[in-house]
């Protein structure tokens, strides 16, 4: 299995709702990521989990709450979002660190969850 | 620190070559290249680590000039399937913080 699976593919939520995005990989990758991508913009890093521990939080507002229950699963809990949070949320995973002389297969991205906040 | 990509967009005819550049004002540990087609996830093309190497597969290759902190992606004899947005991603240190450039839109016409 060489895929990252994200659910749901589309989500519409109100500003008072609580919802969660789910990401799953079975490639044995020990690093997992959440990125946010607005239309015609590059992916922006939100969170990095390394060996199931949060290692990077790019000053993301607390209305976004990540969780890594195990090495294969990554969740993003959403609460009290704003319309400007509408975007494509991409999950990715990777083997770990890239080192000279060792094959490294890059980040594998999921197809994303397209979130609309109304 | 977001890397700077150029050009912003390029249109080619099939069989033509293109070069996309990516530069940083900070010392880099690695440069990644990804291609994203409309409505799809980014797909990994290659990574270059500090050490100034050149990598390639098929007709797509890349170089990394460590002195200039600049990477270039070379697409030769372009095919329609090369169309998409190309992003470079840079990491300044050994770690997992990858920051993407603004992207280069490549369109190959028949």
């Amino acid at each position: 299995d060489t895929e990252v699976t994200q659910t749901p593919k589309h989500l519409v939520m109100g500003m008072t709702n609580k919802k969660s995005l789910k990401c799953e990989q079975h490639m044995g990758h020990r690093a997992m990521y959440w990125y946010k991508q607005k239309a015609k913009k590059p992916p922006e890093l939100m969170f990095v989990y390394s060996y199931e521990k949060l290692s990077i939080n790019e000053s993301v507002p607390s209305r976004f709450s990540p969780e890594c229950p195990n090495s294969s699963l990554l969740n993003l809990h959403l609460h009290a979002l704003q319309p400007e949070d509408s975007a494509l949320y991409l999950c990715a995973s990777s083997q770990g660190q890239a080192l000279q002389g060792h094959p490294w297969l890059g980040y594998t991205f999921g197809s994303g969850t397209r979130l609309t906040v109304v | 620190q977001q890397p700077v990509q150029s050009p912003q967009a390029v249109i080619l005819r099939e069989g033509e070559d293109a070069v996309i550049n990516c530069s940083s004002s900070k010392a880099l540990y690695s440069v990644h290249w990804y291609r994203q087609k409309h409505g799809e996830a980014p797909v990994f093309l290659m990574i270059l680590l500090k050490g100034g190497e050149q990598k390639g597969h098929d007709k797509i290759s890349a170089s990394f000039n460590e002195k200039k902190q600049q990477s270039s992606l070379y697409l030769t004899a372009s095919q329609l399937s090369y169309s998409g947005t190309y992003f470079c991603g840079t990491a300044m240190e050994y770690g997992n913080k990858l920051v993407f450039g603004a992207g280069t839109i490549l369109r190959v016409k028949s």
Side-chain angles (χ1 to χ4, degrees), chain B residues 79-94:
Chain B
Q79 306 166 16
L80 293 175
S81 61
Y82 286 6
S83 293
T85 301
Y86 288 78
F87 293 105
C88 71
T90 56
M92 284 191 280
E93 58 193 18
Y94 180 83

Side-chain angles (χ1 to χ4, degrees), chain A residues 31 33 35 37 40-43 45 48 50 55-56 58 88 90 94 96-100 104-107 109-111, chain B residues 2 29-30 32 34 36 39-44 47 49-53 87 94-103:
Chain A
Y33 314 82
Y35 277 85
Q37 188 175 27
K40 299 185 180 181
K41 296 290 185 185
L45 183 63
V48 179
S50 181
S55 60
I56 295 175
E58 286 291 279
L88 180 68
L90 292 164
S94 71
Q97 303 304 323
L99 297 171
Q100 285 283 6
W104 197 78
L105 301 177
Y107 287 24
F109 281 88
S111 54
Chain B
Q2 186 179 40
Y29 173 74
S30 64
H32 304 220
Y34 288 80
Q36 186 175 29
E40 298 180 11
V43 173
F44 176 70
I47 182 174
L49 301 178
K50 74 174 186 179
E53 60 184 281
F87 293 105
Y94 180 83
N96 290 325
K97 184 171 175 175
L98 189 68
V99 179
F100 287 96

Side-chain angles (χ1 to χ4, degrees), chain B residues 45-76:
Chain B
L45 296 175
M46 63 191 75
I47 182 174
L48 301 106
L49 301 178
K50 74 174 186 179
E53 60 184 281
Q54 181 150 4
K55 279 197 164 187
H57 59 84
D58 201 12
K59 293 173 186 166
I60 301 176
S61 62
S63 64
F64 179 24
N65 185 320
E66 199 178 331
K67 284 185 181 174
K68 292 183 179 180
Q69 299 305 318
Q70 185 173 18
S71 178
S72 295
L73 185 73
Y74 307 95
L75 301 111
T76 56

